[in-house]
Structures are given as C-alpha cells and as structure tokens.
Amino acid sequence: MRASFRALKEMDVAARSGLVASSFDGLGIEGLVVSKAVNIRWLSGFTGSNGNLLLTADASILVTDGRYEEQAAMELAAAGVHAQVEISRQPWAPLKTAVGSLKRLGIESHHLTVDRLAALASAFPSAELVSVGDVIDRQRQTKDSGEQSRLELAAAIADEALRLTAPNILAGGGMSERSFARDLENHMFDLGADGISFDTIVASGPNSARPHARPSGRTISPGDLVVVDFGAAIEGYGSDITRTFVCGAEPTAEQSDLYQSVRQAQAAGVAVVRDGVEQLEVDRACRDFLKSRNLGEAFVHGTGHGIGLEIHEQPILSVHSVGILLANQVVTVEPGAYLPGFGGVRVEDSVVVTRTGCTPITLSPKGLVPTWQSSQPTT
Amino acid sequence: MRASFRALKEMDVAARSGLVASSFDGLGIEGLVVSKAVNIRWLSGFTGSNGNLLLTADASILVTDGRYEEQAAMELAAAGVHAQVEISRQPWAPLKTAVGSLKRLGIESHHLTVDRLAALASAFPSAELVSVGDVIDRQRQTKDSGEQSRLELAAAIADEALRLTAPNILAGGGMSERSFARDLENHMFDLGADGISFDTIVASGPNSARPHARPSGRTISPGDLVVVDFGAAIEGYGSDITRTFVCGAEPTAEQSDLYQSVRQAQAAGVAVVRDGVEQLEVDRACRDFLKSRNLGEAFVHGTGHGIGLEIHEQPILSVHSVGILLANQVVTVEPGAYLPGFGGVRVEDSVVVTRTGCTPITLSPKGLVPTWQSSQPTT
C-alpha cells in the first residue's frame, strides 16, 4: 500500500481556534457557541457525541457530560489543545460566567435547532445571538498536510481493499451484495482503517439504477452491472471512491456505451479542477458531456463534494454551486447515469485541488473489467 | 435462535399519518412539516437521507431529490403508503400550493435548524410557523406488534452473535478489541441483521472505565474487565445490550464486588419497570442502589432510553425524567460504574413494558464468566 501510518503528518489542532476567532470582528461577534460535533472535533480533538464548545477571543470551554470526562481530557491532551472542560448535564449553565460579559454571541445556525436556540436565548438573555451559519465548515474546506495525509491513507486503504476483493466480484461467483460489502469492509479494517467512512454501497443489476441503494441479499449474477461506492476512515477523515464493474461476463455494447459516457464525463470533470476555477464549471463539464450523449436526464445527482471529517462537506459541486475551488480542498468528482430497469454506472475519484490542476488520491484502475497490476506492492 | 424472520408481524405504516393528524387540533396547526428522517421513515417507509414530508389533514407530500426517485416510489409502495412524491432540489417549492391555504403550520423545532426555519418562513410568508417539537417522536414511543417483532429479532440476533463469539473473548486469547467487535458484527450480519444499530463498544482493561470507548487495537489480556455494548438492526429497528466479562482468569474480589453492585442495581431498575410507573423511579432504583454501595459518583450516565428507529429515543430514563412509562414502550435499563484506572462494569437489557411489569428481549446470560446453555438451539 502506497500510503502508511508512518507517513501521517502532524495536525496543528490548537492553532485552529485562533483562525476561527480571527473572523469574529468581521462577523460582528465576541464569541461563538460551536454545537456541531465535527466542528468541535476539528477545534479540540474531542469526539464525544454530546458537547458544546464556547470560543471567545482568549478562551475555549468545552461542556460535555459525565460519560466523556476521561475521554475529553485524553483527547484534548492528545491534540495539544488547552481548553477548559466542564462536566455537566446542562449544556449552557457552565458557560454563564464566560458569556456574561459578551454582547454578541455567534451560533451555528445551520446546525443549531430552533428549540436549542430558544434554550440558549433563555440562558443568556443579555447576549444578542447572531446566526453565523457554517463559518467553521467553510474554514474546514482547505486541508492542511496532516489532514491530507489522513485522507490519502484512507483512500489507499480503500484502493487496496478493492484490489483484494475485486477478483471475487469480477468472477461473478454468486456472492450477495451484502457479502461483498462486508468483505470490502473487513479488508479495510484489516488494513488499519478506524472505520468505514459511510455505509458501503454495492448495487448490482437493476439495483445499480438507484444511486444510493443499500447492499441487499441479492446474488450478484453474471452480466450484472455492479456499482461499488465506499471508503475508509482514519482518525475521522473519510475517503470516497466509486467503481462500476460488469461481473462474470463480457460487457454488452449497451453497458459499454453507458460506461464510456460516464467515464469520459468524469474525466472531463477532473480535467477542469484547479485552484481558482468556478465550482460550477466542474459540474457543467460532467453534465454537458452526459447531455451530449442524451444522458442528461439520467444524471440525477450532483457532481461532487468535499471530503474530510464529514463525508459530504463543502464545497458541494452541483448546478447550484457558487464560488471557486481553492488549493488544498479535497473533493470528489462522481458523475453517474441511471437507467431504471437497465442499471446504472457511476465513476468517482477523490482529488486534492492544486494550483495547476489536481492530484487524485483514489487510484484504483477503471473499466468495466479492470486489471490490477500484479506488481503492485501489497504493503 | 428464538426469533425469526418468519415471525415478523405486519406494520400498519399507512395508519400513522392519521394518528399524527388527529393531534393537529390540539396543537393548533393545520399541517406539519416533518423534517426528521426517522419520523419520515416511520410515517412513510422512505429511508433516503434527504427529504421533507408535509402532512395535512387530508394529504401527505414527500419532497426528495432525484437520487431517491425510484427508491421513494418502491419504499412507499412496500409500506402501503399513498403519498404524493415530488422530486426537486428545492425542498419547499413543491409544497407551495399545498401550504398556500394553511394558516398555521407546525415545524419539528427540536430538529429543524435555525437556518432552515428562516428558509421555510421565507418560502411561506403567509403561514404562521408553530414549534411543535418532538410530537412525532413521542408518538413513536409505544411500539406496535410489528415494531416489537423487529426489535425482538434484532435482540435475538445480538444474543446469538454473543453466544457464538463469547468463548473467544472469555478464553482471553490475545484478541484485540477491534477484532472482537468485528467478529460480533460479522456474526450479526451472517444471522440476517440489516446492519448494526450503533458503533459496537468493546472496552477492555482501563478502557472499560470509559462508558463510550471505541474499540481500539488494544489486545484483550487475561484478567481484563471487558465491557461489550452492541446491537443489530432489522428494518431500521435497533437492539441494545451490554454485558461485562472478565477474560481468561478468575475475577478478583474487587472485580466481583463491582460487578455484583452493578448487576443488582440493574435488577432493581428492571424490577420497577411497568406501565404507569414514573420514569424517574427506574433511574432512582438503580442510582440509589449504587449510592448505597458508595458507587453513586461512579455512575456517570443515565439509566436507560427507548429503542426503536433511533437507538436513543424517548423515553429517556434519568434523573431528569418527567412522565410515566407506558405499556409497549421498549426501553433499556443499563446502570454502570466506572473507576478510572481500574475499569468499569455496565449491564444492560432491553425490555418491553407491560401492564404488570416488563418482558426482557435481551436474554444473554449474565455474570463476569457466564455460561451459555449448550442445549440452546442455534437456529
């Protein structure tokens, strides 16, 4: 495997709070209540399921409950973060003193619920609550070298798992979708993944026409199109790759035509990716190509998304995209075409945006019946 | 295995919308925007990750995006639900006509975000938006016979998986936490689980002192306390059970004392469960017992929670509980005691509340070194 745990680079987690706090003046706030779990993880290393983080210009206070007392201390220390930790069943009470002097307090309005906003307003009646939306999500878009090395390792693990399992599926040997998904996942764990990055998709035959099908007990049969969409996670950073195969038979002309259209659309999209390009252009490149093959209607989803601590994060590449791509963002390019009754094809790579183009981190060979180089080292 | 797929009872999904709509007058609303995914699933059978459901007295409209067009049609038909399906990238636009005549529209304020509320208000300026919170979650608390049969099967699969894997862990044979978790999960899949109901916890030695530890690469060693907390899912309904073992050695006196305290606290809690009892009483029974053993401070979490389409759902059994238990709710009772540096113990069963008490659906034997009856049938 080309990437390894030894190659994981350090992440400067402690520096991130300062980055966010430096945006406070522009946002017109003096503090920010971070409620979205992955944003708390990004800022502090804490991975518990319950917590809120108050960030001010000079302090950082994590409130969580008793289940996470020991874990929070360990994770913050491991991340090199010096935040105050308060253990309480009441999310806002321990913040009373710190918030007392603040006039304008930001909230993650894209994540905070209407009810929790009401509770927060009631706990801090003298502070004006300001919707700052996804300001941290946007700061998470560009990945430092430590984050990139985790995404690369996760992608390499997924590639290797596919190399180890693909012969079984390509032989078309009567395996169920679910069994194949589990084989893939088991290999990823054996290779050192902390987890899977999302529910593995193995969709065969008619199921392949549903972009988000879940693996079923259906037996994969010779001649089936099989869409395999999966990823590994390393310290929360998740990879994402899709390949489409034909199993146990020569592809038909119709299958090959559909595949080539999607494959070329995907290449057209990847070719557009570089620092400074409009995100919309990536979607347009894929979509226009599929339209030219009369497959515009069959491409029923967006073209791609950022990957990181969330498997779908900004930037989202679709017909609705606004904004440009930036170097060190890591995004997927994954057009597909789905013909109900016939089947579907999707091809997806994850790429790191660079100044002059992009660097794919998913390297599995493409093709309906791809060939892995036997010389590829296995470790 | 005592429960089987053949024993799954029908669920009357189509009847649920009427149940919710019958509460509209009391809530002072004419329609309800359902945004929480499990509530949409409960009302329609739809399991996609993106969608909103408008419920009025006489109509039901599901809005989702193109990825789910085929899936939505299939799932609604399978559930016997006759709702209108609108495919759109814009969540609210397709509801314009239906909402046009409504004066007061309910929102799930415990789930809808502040930003989505703003978008909704802007799309429907003439409708007053009324926070109705978790009204559907509360209706989901009592489980019909179809739901109970799914929870029972999920629990039976978890029990059987533990029976098949426990000898390995009890032998204390140098297996990592992660390997043991995967073995458990693989057995659940082999037994027919659709998925796992939450991230499996296998916490050994000092890790067992962290209630929500994730399986690590740590090798389970002779003499370790090992907390195993896991479950299977059947059609979205998830089971939940915890057992604590000592591996490959006779338990020490300290381990046995800690175990017996938690075991008896758990039995005390289960003994309290019945239709009509204050939820608080279940927590109190467990907590008071542990306090009497000077373990009050070591019990750092709530006593239990409902299980169903969510693995943590209402009713929540804790010191903060308000309200009574009702027949056909399915709840966990899971006190624990955690001594940093030493280790922890948790014992958990899931039980169906009945008029006179409760019926456990998790039946794995208890004890630090439990014995499975060899005569237990495996299918």
Side-chain angles (χ1 to χ4, degrees):
Chain A
M1 220 166 58
R2 61 188 187 279
S4 83
F5 287 92
R6 285 188 303 276
L8 285 185
K9 296 184 178 124
E10 291 285 317
M11 298 191 293
D12 191 358
V13 178
R16 293 171 184 163
S17 295
L19 286 177
V20 174
S22 70
S23 69
F24 283 3
D25 279 353
L27 296 165
I29 57 176
E30 297 159 334
L32 175 58
V33 173
V34 186
S35 55
K36 186 170 168 173
V38 289
N39 289 346
I40 293 172
R41 178 176 193 165
W42 185 73
L43 286 168
S44 71
F46 177 63
T47 66
S49 66
N50 180 36
N52 288 286
L53 182 74
L54 173 71
L55 206 63
T56 66
D58 49 15
S60 185
I61 307 176
L62 174 68
V63 184
T64 183
D65 64 68
R67 291 174 301 172
Y68 295 114
E69 184 164 9
E70 198 187 347
Q71 178 181 327
M74 285 175 57
E75 291 180 335
L76 267 60
V81 169
H82 302 284
Q84 182 181 337
V85 178
E86 296 286 341
I87 302 300
S88 169
R89 284 200 179 88
Q90 308 201 309
W92 313 127
L95 301 176
K96 268 231 138 88
T97 311
V99 170
S101 59
L102 304 181
K103 288 199 183 62
R104 290 170 58 86
L105 187 62
I107 56 159
E108 296 194 296
S109 50
H110 70 313
H111 173 266
L112 198 73
T113 68
V114 175
D115 282 350
R116 289 179 78 83
L117 174 67
L120 194 58
S122 150
F124 306 127
S126 65
E128 182 184 348
L129 301 179
V130 181
S131 290
V132 300
D134 56 1
V135 56
I136 300 179
D137 302 62
R138 279 183 275 123
Q139 288 197 284
R140 286 198 290 110
Q141 288 183 79
T142 53
K143 307 296 190 282
D144 65 29
S145 59
E147 294 178 292
Q148 287 183 35
S149 69
R150 283 156 181 77
L151 289 168
E152 281 165 23
L153 177 58
I157 285 172
D159 280 339
E160 182 65 5
L162 189 61
R163 191 180 78 87
L164 294 169
T165 50
N168 289 333
I169 197 173
L170 286 167
M175 176 181 259
S176 75
E177 293 173 355
R178 203 177 279 141
S179 297
F180 183 68
R182 281 181 41 217
D183 276 4
L184 263 179
E185 292 170 2
N186 282 335
H187 276 294
M188 290 195 288
F189 281 112
D190 287 340
L191 292 162
D194 295 327
I196 60 173
S197 52
F198 58 95
D199 288 347
T200 299
I201 296 171
V202 175
S204 67
N207 295 345
S208 63
R210 292 202 303 283
H212 276 213
R214 271 176 290 263
S216 74
R218 183 181 188 279
T219 301
I220 299 170
S221 305
D224 279 351
L225 280 169
V226 184
V227 173
V228 182
D229 187 350
F230 70 108
I234 293 292
E235 296 182 16
Y237 288 86
S239 70
D240 196 355
I241 180 173
T242 308
R243 292 293 182 266
T244 302
F245 306 119
V246 163
C247 294
E250 279 295 302
T252 66
E254 289 80 3
Q255 287 171 335
S256 292
D257 284 352
L258 187 63
Y259 184 85
Q260 284 307 321
S261 295
V262 173
R263 171 75 189 88
Q264 290 173 44
Q266 201 260 352
V270 169
V272 167
V273 174
R274 65 170 166 75
D275 178 61
V277 80
E278 290 287 337
Q279 294 163 10
L280 194 63
E281 291 301 321
V282 184
D283 184 84
R284 186 173 292 156
C286 295
R287 207 165 295 278
D288 283 355
F289 188 88
L290 286 169
K291 280 182 188 162
S292 76
R293 299 294 176 99
N294 290 318
L295 290 168
E297 296 290 310
F299 179 22
V300 293
H301 53 72
T303 286
H305 53 84
I307 59 174
L309 288 174
E310 293 179 283
I311 194 62
H312 289 116
E313 59 177 47
Q314 299 193 44
I316 304 297
L317 308 180
S318 77
V319 294
H320 301 291
S321 292
V322 176
I324 59 172
L325 288 174
L326 295 174
N328 298 315
Q329 290 178 339
V330 185
V331 299
T332 70
V333 180
E334 50 175 313
Y338 310 91
L339 305 176
F342 177 80
V345 169
R346 182 166 64 259
V347 176
E348 172 185 36
D349 286 309
S350 298
V351 304
V352 181
V353 182
T354 65
R355 201 173 54 80
T356 54
C358 67
T359 308
I361 60 173
T362 47
L363 302 180
S364 292
K366 297 190 180 78
L368 284 173
V369 187
T371 320
W372 276 260
Q373 293 182 16
S374 58
S375 63
Q376 188 172 339
T378 62
T379 54
Chain B
M1 218 165 58
R2 62 190 186 274
S4 81
F5 286 93
R6 286 188 303 276
L8 285 185
K9 298 186 177 121
E10 291 285 316
M11 298 190 293
D12 191 358
V13 178
R16 294 171 184 165
S17 295
L19 286 177
V20 174
S22 70
S23 69
F24 283 3
D25 279 354
L27 296 166
I29 57 175
E30 297 161 334
L32 174 58
V33 174
V34 187
S35 54
K36 185 170 168 172
V38 289
N39 290 345
I40 294 172
R41 179 176 192 165
W42 185 73
L43 287 167
S44 71
F46 177 63
T47 65
S49 66
N50 179 36
N52 288 285
L53 183 74
L54 173 71
L55 207 63
T56 67
D58 50 15
S60 186
I61 308 176
L62 174 68
V63 184
T64 183
D65 64 70
R67 290 174 302 173
Y68 294 113
E69 183 163 12
E70 199 186 348
Q71 178 181 328
M74 285 175 57
E75 291 181 334
L76 268 60
V81 168
H82 302 285
Q84 183 181 335
V85 177
E86 296 286 343
I87 302 300
S88 170
R89 285 201 180 87
Q90 308 201 309
W92 313 126
L95 301 175
K96 256 210 146 102
T97 311
V99 170
S101 58
L102 304 180
K103 288 199 185 59
R104 289 169 60 85
L105 187 61
I107 56 159
E108 296 193 297
S109 49
H110 70 315
H111 173 265
L112 199 72
T113 67
V114 175
D115 282 349
R116 289 179 80 84
L117 174 68
L120 194 58
S122 150
F124 306 129
S126 66
E128 182 184 347
L129 301 180
V130 181
S131 290
V132 299
D134 56 1
V135 57
I136 300 179
D137 302 61
R138 279 183 275 124
Q139 289 197 283
R140 286 197 290 110
Q141 288 183 81
T142 54
K143 306 297 190 284
D144 65 29
S145 58
E147 294 177 292
Q148 286 182 35
S149 69
R150 283 157 181 77
L151 289 169
E152 281 165 23
L153 177 57
I157 285 172
D159 280 340
E160 181 65 5
L162 189 61
R163 191 180 78 85
L164 293 170
T165 50
N168 289 332
I169 197 173
L170 286 168
M175 177 181 259
S176 74
E177 293 173 356
R178 204 178 277 140
S179 297
F180 183 68
R182 281 179 43 216
D183 275 4
L184 264 178
E185 293 171 2
N186 282 335
H187 276 294
M188 292 196 287
F189 282 111
D190 286 340
L191 291 161
D194 295 328
I196 60 173
S197 52
F198 58 95
D199 289 346
T200 299
I201 295 172
V202 175
S204 67
N207 294 345
S208 64
R210 292 201 304 281
H212 276 213
R214 271 176 289 264
S216 73
R218 183 181 187 279
T219 301
I220 299 171
S221 305
D224 278 351
L225 281 168
V226 184
V227 173
V228 182
D229 186 352
F230 69 108
I234 293 291
E235 296 183 18
Y237 289 86
S239 70
D240 197 355
I241 180 173
T242 307
R243 291 293 183 264
T244 302
F245 307 119
V246 162
C247 294
E250 279 295 303
T252 64
E254 290 79 4
Q255 288 171 335
S256 292
D257 284 352
L258 186 64
Y259 185 85
Q260 285 307 322
S261 296
V262 173
R263 171 75 189 88
Q264 291 172 44
Q266 201 260 352
V270 170
V272 167
V273 173
R274 66 171 165 74
D275 179 61
V277 80
E278 291 286 338
Q279 294 163 10
L280 195 61
E281 292 301 323
V282 185
D283 184 84
R284 186 172 293 156
C286 295
R287 206 166 295 278
D288 283 354
F289 188 88
L290 286 170
K291 280 182 190 163
S292 77
R293 300 294 176 101
N294 291 319
L295 290 167
E297 295 289 312
F299 180 22
V300 293
H301 53 71
T303 286
H305 53 84
I307 59 173
L309 288 174
E310 292 178 285
I311 194 62
H312 288 115
E313 60 178 48
Q314 298 190 43
I316 303 298
L317 309 180
S318 77
V319 294
H320 301 291
S321 291
V322 177
I324 57 172
L325 287 174
L326 295 173
N328 298 313
Q329 290 178 340
V330 185
V331 298
T332 70
V333 180
E334 50 174 314
Y338 310 92
L339 304 176
F342 177 82
V345 169
R346 183 165 64 256
V347 176
E348 171 185 35
D349 285 309
S350 298
V351 304
V352 181
V353 182
T354 66
R355 201 173 53 78
T356 55
C358 68
T359 308
I361 59 173
T362 47
L363 302 180
S364 292
K366 298 192 179 77
L368 282 173
V369 186
T371 321
W372 275 260
Q373 294 181 14
S374 59
S375 63
Q376 187 174 340
T378 61
T379 55

